[in-house]
Amino acid sequence: MIIKVTGVEENMHQTLQHIANLYYEESTIIIGETDQWDLFIHIIQADKQTAYYTEGQLQDKKDGTKKADFWKETFSGESDKDRKKKAKQAVSHIMVKLLSEYTGTVQPWGTLTGIRPTKLYHKLIREGWTTTQIHSYLKTDYLLSDEKLNLLAEIVERQHSVLPDLYELDRGVSIYIGIPFCPTKCAYCTFPAYAINGRNGSVETFLEGLHYEMEQTGKWLKEHNIPVTTVYFGGGTPTSISAEEMDKLYSHMYKVFSGMEKVREVTVEAGRPDTITPEKIEVLKKWNIDRISINPQSFEDTTLKAIGRHHSVEETVTKYKLARDMGLQNINMDLIIGLPGEGVSEMEYSLQETEKLKPESLTVHTLSFKRASAMTKQKNKYKVAGRKEIGQMMDMTSKWTKENEYVPYYLYRQKNILGNLENVGYSFRGKESLYNIIIMEEVQTIIGLGCGAASKWVEPGTGKITRFANPKDPVSYNNGYEDYTNKKIKQLEELFQINNSAASTK
Ligand code: SF4
């Protein structure tokens, strides 16, 4: 679909392309004159000094008829900058309104792209806005639907309830530890995940590097009296390594991070059921790991095979029951909406099966075609549901979670997500993952250790964000972990010194 747009500046291209992507899987925006177009949108803008007046018109080349009427946005702004911003917003609104009318597709997130909805909500609360003001602003300026506004309000309320000091966490840190191995690589995966078989040599070397990073970081945190709020082992699949290696790793964690008794939550992803053994569960229990994740993704064996999971549904259920029977009390499960070949009936079945297991939390992802995944590279091979059906699956899940007493507690949206929807973390009340809230709302520095671990520095006081990424592949990591550790400690020094000097000038 080629959409020709006239009447706007070239610098609007990215914004308009984002909006077009909400409606069409494949679309190209061309600003200015061209003969190659399927749709033509003409925007008329007029600066009337105190008010900026914008309207638009849409035409379909096939029959040449006007498919949507004029839409008008009238507003006033106080400064040039403000008016420019408003003009851009008005053009976005007009595009959304015209394309919605033309395609019959409703965009519940309106024009909100590229911004984390809950983060924006928190920002407004911190600035002193009331709930009514926030909702009215998001509705007017971003065209958010009531349904999404209510979802945001519910999530923000849960987050405050489990982390009452959410806005004061910036003086502490959380730790992310990346273990880059999995039994096999899933087709949709873009995480640092290397097949573990035959790589034992490099696993050993990797763990040596990781132990070093943990030790140096722990030492620095202790010296500067910086508390650790949560620890999260991800990857890859952290339970891919042996029970003995896990035991040594957690023992090391307790040794090098002082104040482990005050850490509010330690999570270990055990996403692939084929990595779970009774010995490993014993180790998780021995070190008081609070929360684990066992991820079915789907309860259809054919789907699991198609996406390269190499484990069966039966194994998911057996390992889940094993973990439960052995005493693990907080288990998360991940499900993905829109996996290849799946529609409403498969989703319904997955939810019915989940209901029998009653995990404490359920994270519902909507499939996203990430650029680097095997699935995206062979997109034609994988048949996925259309936008309408994806929406139905999402609605069904949301209804199911309500009926089963799960509450939403975090949300994020990704580019190229099917149906322009969202990923939502649900949990029983009180079983929310604190780490997930902290990372989504970017309220605290997260120090990433291990392979592919991204550190996110959140400057205390200002919330300014910078990042540092460890290499994704174990060989590069093994060759350079001392260097990465030193660089990160230097950056941490700067991050917290900025704060110290700011504090001393107050
Ligand atoms: S289990 Fe997770 S990390 Fe491992 S390959 Fe599959 S999606 Fe990637």
Side-chain angles (χ1 to χ4, degrees):
M1 168 67 67
I2 299 176
I3 306 174
K4 172 171 102 167
V5 184
T6 58
V8 293
E9 307 260 328
E10 189 55 42
N11 63 9
M12 280 297 293
H13 189 273
Q14 202 184 1
T15 308
L16 299 182
Q17 187 64 65
H18 274 311
I19 294 172
N21 292 348
L22 302 178
Y23 296 86
Y24 298 102
E25 304 293 343
E26 308 279 343
S27 68
T28 307
I29 290 280
I30 297 178
I31 293 180
E33 284 311 321
T34 173
D35 294 336
Q36 303 286 315
W37 55 271
D38 304 298
L39 276 186
F40 170 31
I41 293 177
H42 180 54
I43 308 273
I44 304 153
Q45 298 186 52
D47 184 355
K48 306 263 176 171
Q49 294 192 342
T50 51
Y52 207 105
Y53 179 82
T54 307
E55 58 188 38
Q57 184 181 1
L58 182 145
Q59 283 184 321
D60 178 340
K61 195 170 193 179
K62 272 190 211 142
D63 54 15
T65 51
K66 191 165 75 177
K67 290 288 182 186
D69 259 329
F70 287 87
W71 283 94
K72 293 176 186 176
E73 291 282 333
T74 309
F75 51 85
S76 58
E78 282 158 15
S79 66
D80 270 2
K81 196 176 155 209
D82 189 25
R83 282 166 59 187
K84 267 188 194 154
K85 196 175 147 208
K86 285 278 187 183
K88 194 171 173 182
Q89 199 175 50
V91 172
S92 304
H93 282 203
I94 283 163
M95 278 289 283
V96 165
K97 287 171 179 172
L98 287 171
L99 288 174
S100 291
E101 186 170 313
Y102 178 65
T103 59
T105 308
V106 178
Q107 294 297 342
W109 289 105
T111 58
L112 198 67
T113 56
I115 309 173
R116 285 173 196 230
T118 45
K119 199 177 171 198
L120 175 60
Y121 203 110
H122 281 297
K123 179 178 167 277
L124 298 173
I125 294 178
R126 288 168 101 153
E127 287 173 4
W129 294 45
T130 64
T131 306
T132 314
Q133 286 169 328
I134 294 172
H135 286 213
S136 154
Y137 169 67
L138 294 177
K139 211 170 170 167
T140 315
D141 280 36
Y142 292 100
L143 310 176
L144 247 70
S145 68
D146 286 336
E147 176 216 347
K148 295 302 175 201
L149 284 171
N150 292 339
L151 177 64
L152 291 179
E154 195 176 2
I155 289 174
V156 166
E157 185 276 318
R158 281 318 301 156
Q159 295 182 338
H160 280 296
S161 157
V162 289
L163 280 169
D165 55 349
L166 188 67
Y167 300 156
E168 285 101 51
L169 289 172
D170 56 355
R171 307 277 155 163
V173 296
S174 282
I175 308 281
Y176 174 85
I177 297 175
I179 312 284
F181 304 107
C182 278
T184 52
K185 181 106 175 171
C186 304
Y188 55 88
C189 180
T190 51
F191 297 112
Y194 296 84
I196 199 161
N197 282 343
R199 299 190 69 114
N200 286 343
S202 74
V203 172
E204 219 170 89
T205 322
F206 163 73
L207 289 173
E208 268 172 39
L210 178 60
H211 281 221
Y212 173 85
E213 267 207 295
M214 289 166 72
E215 194 171 326
Q216 296 304 311
T217 309
K219 198 168 139 217
W220 186 87
L221 290 172
K222 189 175 176 191
E223 274 168 21
H224 295 82
N225 208 14
I226 293 175
V228 176
T229 311
T230 65
V231 180
Y232 193 99
F233 288 85
T237 305
T239 43
S240 297
I241 58 175
S242 70
E244 200 189 343
E245 286 162 340
M246 283 167 58
D247 189 41
K248 277 195 197 143
L249 185 59
Y250 307 148
S251 153
H252 194 63
M253 167 176 75
Y254 274 84
K255 192 170 127 211
V256 300
F257 295 125
S258 65
M260 274 305 291
E261 68 290 345
K262 290 198 195 130
V263 170
R264 299 187 208 178
E265 173 188 275
V266 182
T267 298
V268 173
E269 281 184 7
R272 288 277 289 256
D274 41 344
T275 63
I276 300 172
T277 64
E279 294 74 30
K280 291 182 192 175
I281 295 175
E282 278 305 343
V283 173
L284 294 167
K285 279 178 61 192
K286 175 179 168 189
W287 295 106
N288 295 321
I289 302 303
D290 301 292
R291 186 174 174 272
I292 66 161
S293 216
I294 301 175
N295 299 331
Q297 312 298 13
S298 161
F299 280 86
E300 296 284 344
D301 277 324
T302 42
T303 308
L304 295 181
K305 204 164 168 216
I307 61 172
R309 291 279 294 185
H310 292 258
H311 66 81
S312 62
V313 170
E314 193 190 343
E315 191 165 18
T316 309
V317 175
T318 312
K319 296 297 174 61
Y320 176 89
K321 286 185 176 161
L322 179 73
R324 187 61 97 208
D325 291 346
M326 287 179 73
L328 293 183
Q329 302 291 333
N330 191 351
I331 306 178
N332 172 71
M333 284 191 147
D334 278 8
L335 287 179
I336 300 179
I337 289 181
L339 282 169
E342 296 213 342
V344 167
S345 60
E346 287 78 11
M347 194 66 211
E348 196 169 15
Y349 180 68
S350 285
L351 292 172
Q352 278 166 8
E353 292 305 294
T354 308
E355 199 170 326
K356 291 181 194 159
L357 302 174
K358 293 200 179 0
E360 278 69 24
S361 57
L362 181 72
T363 311
V364 183
H365 300 269
T366 310
L367 186 69
S368 112
F369 279 93
K370 292 178 189 162
R371 238 186 307 155
S373 74
M375 197 179 277
T376 305
K377 285 178 190 152
Q378 306 170 59
K379 218 170 169 181
N380 298 339
K381 208 177 119 195
Y382 296 96
K383 264 205 119 18
V384 293
R387 283 165 192 247
K388 201 167 158 215
E389 194 165 15
I390 296 284
Q392 285 170 342
M393 290 191 249
M394 195 81 192
D395 291 345
M396 179 197 283
T397 312
S398 154
K399 188 165 165 267
W400 178 91
T401 52
K402 270 195 193 80
E403 285 166 5
N404 287 276
E405 295 179 6
Y406 289 92
V407 284
Y409 76 97
Y410 80 95
L411 168 153
Y412 70 102
R413 301 172 70 217
Q414 286 166 291
K415 273 189 192 160
N416 306 324
I417 196 163
L418 286 177
N420 184 32
L421 291 166
E422 61 271 349
N423 300 318
V424 183
Y426 295 92
S427 75
F428 289 149
R429 281 171 193 273
K431 294 291 184 181
E432 296 81 356
S433 157
L434 306 183
Y435 175 86
N436 283 341
I437 299 174
I438 289 170
I439 192 162
M440 287 304 152
E441 306 313 336
E442 301 181 316
V443 287
Q444 181 182 64
T445 284
I446 294 185
I447 307 177
L449 308 176
C451 234
S455 298
K456 197 185 271 186
W457 312 129
V458 179
E459 191 174 282
T462 68
K464 189 180 155 215
I465 291 169
T466 45
R467 292 178 168 81
F468 182 93
N470 277 3
K472 282 192 172 185
D473 73 291
V475 176
S476 309
Y477 177 78
N478 293 342
N479 290 336
Y481 62 80
E482 287 178 342
D483 187 33
Y484 303 122
T485 310
N486 291 339
K487 279 190 182 138
K488 277 187 286 190
I489 288 184
K490 197 159 171 286
Q491 291 181 1
L492 277 168
E493 291 275 1
E494 284 166 13
L495 187 78
F496 283 92
Q497 267 174 16
I498 289 167
N499 174 46
N500 291 341
S501 55
S504 63
T505 56
K506 272 187 189 162

